[in-house]
């Protein structure tokens, strides 16, 4: 028997235990072990029932995601789970932690399921660009119905045990020792002389309505999962569960899986799965380094940002004190926080009691002295260097030794801010994205003197407040906003050249961006970027067309959604964006006045100019050491900027286009557009000319 899977028989009950930490993934050794266990059982008569359980913190969390890159070796999951299901005696799975993907597929190939009351059970394969490929697309509809199976798999969200019970996905919930409960069920089945209860023999209960169900789901996918292949293919496989024999259905599932596994969508999503976890691996931060405890937090500034950040901490039970200069600001800020929580209560995602608990954790003060016992302060005031310096000097005077001083700046030089304190090693950038209580990204900005344990504490804190923390070094805009700068510049310039905002945003949204950049400016307030440029004149090039549209709109007070007009008008009752012929005419006139040659950029040109300029800037960030890895940039963009995950992020996307293709196009733009913006970054040039990729560059730098 392999080490990772053990088989024991006691009192005529066989127990198969998978012990492969951390998540008991169904990798090759686990599959070999399971195969050996169930092949062995097939030849034995000394047992009447079987329990399958996993050691450690969770039931099997799915296939080994890394194995898709190398190709899946025999035994394949499908064949293995058929073997489990074929067992002549009842097989009971004991589920705890998260049963996901192939883990859930193993569970439903077993004949009965007992779940711990905290267990969660799901099929998240679409998040990896594939479909359940270990029998799940055929067994799940048989077990819970076609529509419920479609719901489960399309959502990719695991079900809590109670919901799984309601759907018939599990048979019992255990409040306590799940292994003991599974054993008790196995004993009961053995005593009754029960035989196997195979999912494959069940009928799809709503199979008669398959055509309608699938048609409705197709419409849902077309609307909500644009440009994706795996959800469309999933519906094909699910339809097969109602129309084909089980064996034919498995063959269909397997054929579809093979097509999907190596396609760009799946490769992109696998890349992000690992990239999301690699962001925590930072040179200089070894396993021996200890993070500082964060028991109490201070926030400076009761505005939208400060309030959102305070909520992040209250949500995990950490007390927060918000300090502001005026009582009216504090009252307004606390009022907004309460309203936000009230919305969660009315949506049913929080109880009234939880609301009071969380609000009760957020204190307010006009006095910096109230921060004398905090472990971390996050300053979230206007982007004004002088103001921030003043605040940091005050903080330096009151904070206890060892406290961390964070700034939520999105553009300012953190080294300069750190210099006003006597403890620059404790200063760090913590760049949240608005709304801070919702957006999953946190840029952690390591200043020149930031201590390694401060960086580690920030990474741990990000995880604790359920954010993806990505480390950046100091530069104007850090990783995210610095790459947005050329992206937005091109988008705006094309409007001066003669494109409409709809054409620009439409092309970007068709590519898959959650929202076109001009519509984003309208949502955030057009003056935000404008004011940043005013505050940083040294970053503004000698170009009258540079972000000229934003300047005009700001000067007219057309600041976007809040003014009812910006790039678009927002005066219909549903506040949907609508074309604004007046704005279009003003911008086109301005383009002519500035002598900009009119162009009618095609959809492809719009996408290339926006996306390639961003990629070129990303290459500079890598070369300057601002970003540690190309994959970190991909995490920043997919977590914080609405970049489509199924394209893997800007740098992964660049690899799929081919760096030479992008390099050549940039050289062409250099000839036909403003040459000051279109010089290939040296790293892009180097990689393009040797036929390499950003992924290879990352691999070469990995320690
Ligand atoms: C599938 O099942 C396909 C089948 O239908 C068909 C087959 C033919 N594989 O996230 P954590 C690693 S597709 C490989 O930090 P947590 C992870 O990289 C699969 N590695 O812990 C990390 O490594 P490191 C469907 C995996 O407690 C370490 O384990 N299943 C896998 O925050 C700890 O992970 C999924 O999509 C894996 N499947 O969260 C589930 N899972 O320390 C994916 C984890 O070196 N997994 N690792 O960075 C998860 O959602 C979370 O890991 C989980 C635990 C919730 C389980």
């Amino acid at each position: 028997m392999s080490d990772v899977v053990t088989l024991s028989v006691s009192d005529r009950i066989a127990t198969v235990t998978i012990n492969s930490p951390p998540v008991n993934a169904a990798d090759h050794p686990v599959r070999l072990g399971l195969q050996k266990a169930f092949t062995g059982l097939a030849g034995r008569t000394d047992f009447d029932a079987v329990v399958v359980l996993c050691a450690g913190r969770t039931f099997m969390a799915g296939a080994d995601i890394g194995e898709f890159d190398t190709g899946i070796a025999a035994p394949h999951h499908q064949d293995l789970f058929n073997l489990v299901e074929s067992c002549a005696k009842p097989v009971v799975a004991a589920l705890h932690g998260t049963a996901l993907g192939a883990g859930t597929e193993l569970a439903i190939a077993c004949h009965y399921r007992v779940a711990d009351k905290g267990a969660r059970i799901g099929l998240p394969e679409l998040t990896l660009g594939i479909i359940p490929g270990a029998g799940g697309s055929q067994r799940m509809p048989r077990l819970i119905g076609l529509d419920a199976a479609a719901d489960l798999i399309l959502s990719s969200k695991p079900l809590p045990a109670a919901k799984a019970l309601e759907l018939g996905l599990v048979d019992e919930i255990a409040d306590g020792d799940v292994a003991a409960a599974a054993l008790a069920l196995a004993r009961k089945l053995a005593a009754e002389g029960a035989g196997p209860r195979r999912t494959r023999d069940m009928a799809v209960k709503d199979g008669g309505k398959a055509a309608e169900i699938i048609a409705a789901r197709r419409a849902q996918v077309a609307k909500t999962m644009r440009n994706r292949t795996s959800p469309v293919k999933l519906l094909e496989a699910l339809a097969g569960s109602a129309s084909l024999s089980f064996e034919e259905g498995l063959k269909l599932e397997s054929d579809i899986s093979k097509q999907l596994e190596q396609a760009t969508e799946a490769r992109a999503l696998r890349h992000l799965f690992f990239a999301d976890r690699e962001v925590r691996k930072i040179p200089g931060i070894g396993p021996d380094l200890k993070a500082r405890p964060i028991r109490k937090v201070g926030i400076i500034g009761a505005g939208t940002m400060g309030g959102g950040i305070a909520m992040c901490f209250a949500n995990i039970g950490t007390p927060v004190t918000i300090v502001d200069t005026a009582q009216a600001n504090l009252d307004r800020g606390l009022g907004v926080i309460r309203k936000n929580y009230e919305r969660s209560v009315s949506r049913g995602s929080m109880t009234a009691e939880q609301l009071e608990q969380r609000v009760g954790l957020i204190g307010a003060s006009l006095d910096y002295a109230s921060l004398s016992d905090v472990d971390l302060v996050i300053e979230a005031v206007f982007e004004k260097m002088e103001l921030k310096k003043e605040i940091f000097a005050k903080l330096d005077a009151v904070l206890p030794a060892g406290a961390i001083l964070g700034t939520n700046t999105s553009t300012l030089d953190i080294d300069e801010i750190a210099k006003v304190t006597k403890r620059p090693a404790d200063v760090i950038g913590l760049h949240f994205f608005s709304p801070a209580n919702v957006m999953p990204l946190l840029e952690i900005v390591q200043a020149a003197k930031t201590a390694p344990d401060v960086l580690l504490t920030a990474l741990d804190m990000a995880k604790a407040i359920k954010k993806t923390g990505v480390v950046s070094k100091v530069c104007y805009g850090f990783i995210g906003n610095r790459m947005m700068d050329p992206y937005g510049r091109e988008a705006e310039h094309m409007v001066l050249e003669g494109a409409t905002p709809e054409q620009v945003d439409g092309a970007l949204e068709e590519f898959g961006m959650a929202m076109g950049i001009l519509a984003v400016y309208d949502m955030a307030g057009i003056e935000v970027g404008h004011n940043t440029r005013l505050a940083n004149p040294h970053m503004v090039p000698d170009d009258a067309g540079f972000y000229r549209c934003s300047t005009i709109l700001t000067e007219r007070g057309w600041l976007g959604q809040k003014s009812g007009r910006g790039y678009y008008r927002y005066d219909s009752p549903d506040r949907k964006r609508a074309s604004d012929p007046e704005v279009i005419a003003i911008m086109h006139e301005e383009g002519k006045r500035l002598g900009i040659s009119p162009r009618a950029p095609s959809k492809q040109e719009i996408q290339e100019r926006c996306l390639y300029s961003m990629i070129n800037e990303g290459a500079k960030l890598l070369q300057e050491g601002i970003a540690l890895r190309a994959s970190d940039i991909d995490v920043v963009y997919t977590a914080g900027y609405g970049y489509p995950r199924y394209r893997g992020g800007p740098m992964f996307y660049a690899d799929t286009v081919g760096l030479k293709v992008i390099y050549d196009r940039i050289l062409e733009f250099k000839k036909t557009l403003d040459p000051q913006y279109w010089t290939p970054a040296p790293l892009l040039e180097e990689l393009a000319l040797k036929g390499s990729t950003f992924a290879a560059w990352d691999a070469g730098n990995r320690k």
Side-chain angles (χ1 to χ4, degrees):
M1 188 57 46
S2 77
D3 291 343
V4 288
V5 179
T6 55
L7 167 66
S8 62
V9 179
S10 162
D11 259 352
R12 299 197 59 79
I13 305 291
T15 300
V16 175
T17 305
I18 302 165
N19 186 3
S20 181
V23 297
N24 293 309
D27 59 11
H28 194 229
V30 165
R31 294 201 303 282
L32 283 176
L34 275 173
Q35 184 186 44
K36 196 162 175 193
F38 277 89
T39 315
L41 284 172
R44 289 169 71 155
T45 54
D46 59 343
F47 71 102
D48 297 320
V50 186
V51 171
V52 174
L53 54 87
C54 287
R57 68 191 212 222
T58 182
F59 194 75
M60 182 183 281
D64 172 7
I65 295 168
E67 202 180 340
F68 291 108
D69 287 329
T70 52
I72 296 175
H76 191 280
H77 308 68
Q78 242 193 23
D79 300 329
L80 181 64
F81 297 167
N82 284 344
L83 174 69
V84 172
E85 190 173 50
S86 300
C87 184
K89 298 289 166 66
V91 182
V92 181
L95 312 179
H96 74 292
T98 40
L100 296 172
T104 296
E105 293 172 289
L106 167 61
I108 64 177
C110 294
H111 307 145
Y112 295 85
R113 286 149 294 278
V114 179
D116 173 65
K117 77 171 194 307
R120 294 184 317 136
I121 303 151
L123 290 169
E125 278 84 347
L126 293 186
T127 63
L128 293 163
I130 54 175
I131 65 167
S137 73
Q138 304 304 302
R139 284 194 184 91
M140 195 55 88
R142 286 174 163 81
L143 196 60
I144 65 173
L146 183 59
D147 201 40
D151 216 26
L152 175 69
I153 308 172
L154 285 173
S155 82
S156 292
K157 292 210 178 82
L159 298 170
K163 182 71 187 165
L165 181 71
E166 198 184 304
L167 287 174
L169 174 45
V170 301
D171 301 283
E172 272 181 31
I173 292 190
D175 187 359
D177 185 345
V178 69
L183 192 63
L185 177 60
R187 286 213 178 95
K188 179 169 159 270
L189 292 165
E192 289 166 357
R197 185 189 65 174
R198 297 187 177 110
T199 311
R200 69 176 178 226
D201 296 333
M202 298 176 185
V204 177
K205 63 174 185 266
D206 50 359
K209 287 192 276 177
E212 294 159 51
I213 292 171
I214 297 295
R217 296 294 178 175
R218 280 215 173 95
Q220 175 193 345
V221 163
K223 208 164 147 202
T224 59
M225 302 176 99
R226 201 175 34 194
N227 296 341
R228 300 280 310 269
T229 306
S230 52
V232 176
K233 288 292 184 185
L234 167 76
L235 295 179
E236 215 178 284
L238 287 178
S241 72
S243 62
L244 303 173
S245 70
F246 182 70
E247 287 68 25
E248 288 166 339
L250 282 188
K251 165 88 172 54
L252 175 65
E253 176 189 273
S254 161
D255 290 345
I256 291 175
S257 296
K258 281 188 197 128
Q259 287 168 30
L260 294 177
E261 279 160 15
Q262 299 314 321
T264 305
E265 179 178 320
R267 287 195 301 111
L269 290 163
R270 280 204 292 280
H271 160 74
L272 284 174
F273 177 83
F274 291 111
D276 282 341
R277 285 158 179 81
E278 197 164 1
V279 288
R280 286 180 50 80
K281 295 176 187 148
I282 310 292
I285 295 197
D288 300 334
L289 195 68
K290 280 218 158 37
R292 301 183 190 178
I294 303 290
R295 292 155 300 209
K296 209 171 165 202
V297 174
I299 309 276
I300 309 294
T304 314
M305 207 30 127
I309 299 172
M311 289 173 75
C312 296
F313 288 97
N315 291 347
I316 59 159
T318 304
V320 191
T321 302
I322 306 181
V323 173
D324 203 297
T325 47
Q327 188 60 43
N329 293 351
L330 289 172
D331 293 344
R332 197 178 323 116
L334 292 180
V336 172
I337 290 174
R338 179 171 278 276
K339 275 220 179 71
N340 286 340
Y341 281 136
E342 277 168 359
R343 257 200 300 277
S344 302
V345 173
S346 62
R347 271 203 310 264
S349 58
M350 186 188 279
T351 64
E353 197 187 348
Q354 282 170 322
L355 176 153
E356 292 307 332
Q357 267 167 7
R358 293 186 196 189
V359 167
L361 284 167
I362 304 177
S365 170
L366 294 169
D367 187 357
Y368 276 66
S370 61
L371 302 177
S372 61
D373 62 345
V374 301
D375 302 304
L376 163 71
V377 168
I378 302 173
E379 161 279 306
V381 303
F382 298 120
E383 287 287 84
K384 285 224 166 70
M385 182 55 98
E386 286 321 306
L387 179 60
K388 302 221 181 216
K389 281 184 175 171
E390 206 179 290
I391 290 170
F392 272 69
K394 279 193 205 160
L395 289 173
D396 198 25
V398 297
L399 293 187
I404 295 175
L405 289 76
T407 169
N408 180 51
T409 182
S410 52
T411 48
L412 299 177
D413 181 351
I414 299 172
D415 292 320
E416 200 179 326
I417 300 175
K419 266 191 210 143
V420 303
T421 72
K422 287 187 226 45
R423 38 178 142 183
D426 295 338
V427 175
I428 193 162
L430 297 171
H431 180 209
F432 287 79
F433 290 71
S434 189
N437 52 314
V438 177
M439 292 294 286
L441 178 65
L442 176 69
E443 272 183 319
I444 298 174
V445 190
Q446 182 184 14
K449 295 200 171 144
T450 306
D453 68 330
V454 170
L455 192 59
L456 175 63
T457 308
L459 284 161
D460 283 0
M461 178 211 82
K463 192 159 191 208
I465 60 172
K466 302 188 176 59
K467 306 256 179 250
T468 305
V470 183
V471 174
S472 168
K473 295 276 174 45
V474 176
C475 72
Y476 178 72
F478 315 130
I479 296 174
N481 285 344
R482 180 158 150 195
M483 285 172 66
M484 276 318 266
D485 204 60
Y487 174 81
R489 176 197 75 214
E490 288 304 307
E492 288 213 354
H493 206 272
M494 284 185 268
V495 177
L496 292 179
E497 290 165 23
T500 63
E502 287 88 337
Q503 282 166 344
V504 173
D505 282 347
L508 296 174
E509 285 162 8
E510 220 168 283
F511 173 79
M513 299 302 288
M515 213 186 211
I517 185 66
L518 305 175
V520 170
Y521 292 153
D522 271 2
M523 190 180 66
I526 293 174
E527 80 288 4
V528 176
H530 178 73
N531 290 338
T532 307
R533 284 182 288 278
L534 285 185
N536 294 277
H538 60 292
M539 298 308 300
V540 176
D542 180 18
D543 169 12
F546 185 73
Y547 280 96
R548 182 72 193 137
C549 300
S550 277
T551 305
I552 294 175
L553 292 169
T554 306
E555 283 169 359
R556 287 178 176 252
W558 297 349
L559 305 180
Q561 289 188 18
K562 63 183 165 198
S563 326
R565 71 189 298 188
Y567 277 99
Y568 301 94
R569 294 199 74 109
Y570 298 91
D571 32 25
S572 66
D574 59 3
R575 291 181 63 78
K576 271 213 177 109
R577 73 190 196 209
S579 178
D580 188 338
E582 191 184 352
V583 164
I584 294 169
I586 291 171
M587 299 311 168
H588 291 176
E589 257 328 291
E590 183 68 2
K592 283 187 207 140
R593 192 185 71 78
L594 294 174
I596 292 170
S597 353
R599 276 170 92 91
S602 64
K603 189 168 69 187
Q604 187 185 339
E605 180 177 322
I606 294 169
Q607 293 172 345
E608 287 172 342
R609 283 173 63 180
C610 290
L611 299 163
Y612 293 180
S613 59
M614 175 196 266
I615 291 163
N616 201 36
E617 199 65 31
K620 291 182 198 162
L621 289 175
L622 290 176
Q623 197 150 31
E624 291 167 24
I626 302 292
L628 265 174
R629 290 167 281 250
S631 63
D632 284 9
I633 295 177
D634 290 334
V635 174
V636 166
Y637 264 82
T638 49
Y641 289 85
Y643 198 101
R645 280 184 74 82
Y646 59 83
R647 294 203 192 268
M651 309 313 269
F652 182 90
Y653 173 68
D655 282 352
T656 63
V657 173
L659 299 189
K660 181 68 166 51
V661 173
I662 295 175
Y663 170 77
D664 288 341
R665 197 77 177 116
I666 290 177
L667 287 180
E668 249 176 85
F669 287 145
K670 188 174 182 163
K671 278 195 217 130
T672 53
L673 302 170
D674 191 337
Q676 72 169 315
Y677 300 130
W678 291 101
T679 298
L683 179 64
L684 177 69
E685 179 169 75
E686 180 196 322
L687 296 176
L689 295 184
K690 66 178 187 204
S692 188
T693 58
F694 288 122
W697 189 84
D698 272 1
N701 289 320
R702 210 163 275 138
K703 300 267 176 330

